[in-house]
Amino acid sequence: MSYLRIAVQKSGRLNEDSMRILKDIGISIDNGKDQLKAAARDFPVEVFYLRNGDIPQYLRDGVVDAAIIGENVLIEKGSDLDFVERLGFSKCRVSIAVPKDSKANSLKDLEGKRIATSYPETVKQFLKKQNIDAQLHIINGSVEIAPNIGLADGICDIVSSGSTLFKNGLKEIEVLLKSEAVLAVSPQIDEERKQILEKIQFRIQSVLKARNSKYVLLNAPNNKLDKILDLLPGMRSPTVLPLAEEGWSSVHTVISKNDFWEMIDELKANGAEGILVCPIEKMVL
C-alpha cells in the first residue's frame, strides 16, 4: 500500500499549526524528539519534518508528495509549484521596512538604496514591476538588524504582528504580498497518492468550514419568527422546532464567525431570546 508523503516545517509556529490541523482531521502522528520522519497510526500518511526553505525542492524532486508550507516560501522558491488549498493559518505579510527616523516613507524613496532580505526573488520581481532600482543584500536570518549596523537602508522580511519591527526601531512602508499556509503538491505525485491527498483535502475543508462558523440556537416568539428567519443564514435553511411554551419556537442555524456579532445584535433587536452559541468541530457539506 502506498503512503502519502507530506512535508511540514521542522519547528516553529507553522509546525504547530500544521500538526494541529492533521490531528483535527483524524491523522495521529507518532513522532519523537528530533525525528525527521514519522508514520500516522490510522491513515496512509508519512510526515517529513524539513526546513521550510528546503521543502519546494523536495516537492519538485518528488521526494515528498505534498507539503504544508507558507505561501511566501512557495512564491520565493517554488513559483513553478501548485497548491490545492489555502489553510487559513500562519498568516503573515512580506513587507519593506525602514528605520523610524528614515526620510523614506514610500517605495519610491528607496530608489538607488540598499535593501537587506531573505526573499531576493520576491523583492527583485516586485521592484521590477514597480520600476524601482535598488541594491539587494541577501541575509539568512536576523534581517532586522541590517539598518542598525549600516548594512542596508531598509529591509524586506515577513511580518506577523509587527512587534519585531517595533523592537528594532523599524517602520513598515510597503506590503509586497500577504501570505498564509497552503497545501502544496508535487508535480510528480502519482494517481494512488493523489487519491489519498484528495481525502485529506476533503477533511481539511470540513475542519476549516467549522473553524469559520458557529452553531446558534435561540428562542423566538412566533409573531416575530418570519423577521428572525429572514435574518438568518443556514447550510440550507434554519431548523425551527416548537417549544413546550405556546407561541414560541426554537431556531437552530449556522452563522459565519465573521458576521457573528452583527447578527447577534440584529437577532436580539428583533425579539430573539436565550441565544446559545456552540463551536463546531467538523462541517461536512
Side-chain angles (χ1 to χ4, degrees), residues 31-262:
N31 65 305
K33 185 176 175 60
D34 297 326
Q35 195 170 348
L36 298 180
K37 186 176 79 168
R41 290 198 301 267
D42 43 14
F43 201 82
V45 162
E46 286 182 322
V47 175
F48 287 64
Y49 300 93
L50 305 172
R51 288 178 63 249
N52 214 25
D54 294 339
I55 291 176
Q57 191 60 49
Y58 279 83
L59 285 167
R60 199 175 283 115
D61 293 342
V63 176
V64 296
D65 308 299
I68 298 175
I69 186 173
E71 186 181 3
N72 57 300
V73 178
L74 210 58
I75 290 170
E76 174 67 24
K77 295 190 173 184
S79 58
D80 57 319
L81 300 169
D82 295 326
F83 66 87
V84 294
E85 196 74 42
R86 292 185 178 278
L87 301 177
F89 55 77
S90 294
K91 292 185 177 182
C92 65
R93 56 194 181 273
V94 177
S95 296
I96 289 178
V98 297
K100 287 181 180 178
D101 58 2
S102 170
K103 294 180 180 179
N105 292 305
S106 69
L107 187 63
K108 290 181 180 179
D109 295 329
L110 291 179
E111 176 73 33
K113 303 293 185 181
R114 301 162 299 166
I115 301 174
T117 186
S118 300
Y119 297 90
E121 289 303 316
T122 302
V123 180
K124 192 184 302 179
Q125 293 302 320
F126 186 80
L127 293 178
K128 184 177 180 181
K129 287 180 182 178
Q130 301 298 321
N131 293 317
I132 302 294
D133 183 20
Q135 182 181 350
L136 298 186
H137 285 275
I138 302 172
I139 299 178
N140 293 315
S142 302
V143 174
E144 297 86 359
I145 199 173
N148 294 328
I149 61 175
L151 183 63
D153 302 292
I155 68 162
C156 183
D157 202 12
I158 57 170
V159 179
S160 296
S161 65
S163 62
T164 302
L165 294 183
F166 179 79
K167 290 174 184 176
N168 285 277
L170 300 171
K171 62 181 180 182
E172 197 172 356
I173 62 169
E174 185 80 29
V175 177
L176 278 64
L177 60 93
K178 293 184 178 179
S179 173
E180 63 185 275
V182 296
L183 182 63
V185 185
S186 168
Q188 299 194 43
I189 188 171
D190 61 34
E191 192 58 39
E192 187 175 359
R193 289 187 172 97
K194 191 180 291 184
Q195 290 177 11
I196 299 172
L197 180 64
E198 287 171 355
K199 290 181 181 179
I200 288 176
Q201 189 180 356
F202 173 76
R203 293 188 184 190
I204 286 174
Q205 289 170 350
S206 298
V207 168
L208 295 180
K209 286 170 186 170
R211 287 182 181 180
N212 291 317
S213 304
K214 298 287 185 182
Y215 190 74
V216 177
L217 302 86
L218 59 88
N219 297 329
N222 289 344
N223 61 353
K224 296 183 178 180
L225 190 56
D226 287 344
K227 177 60 177 174
I228 288 173
L229 293 179
D230 285 342
L231 293 171
L232 290 173
M235 287 183 285
R236 286 192 181 274
S237 64
T239 301
V240 181
L241 301 170
L243 289 179
E245 183 179 346
E246 190 174 345
W248 285 80
S249 295
S250 174
V251 180
H252 301 212
T253 193
V254 174
I255 293 178
S256 168
K257 185 174 67 175
N258 296 330
D259 303 328
F260 174 72
W261 285 112
E262 291 81 358

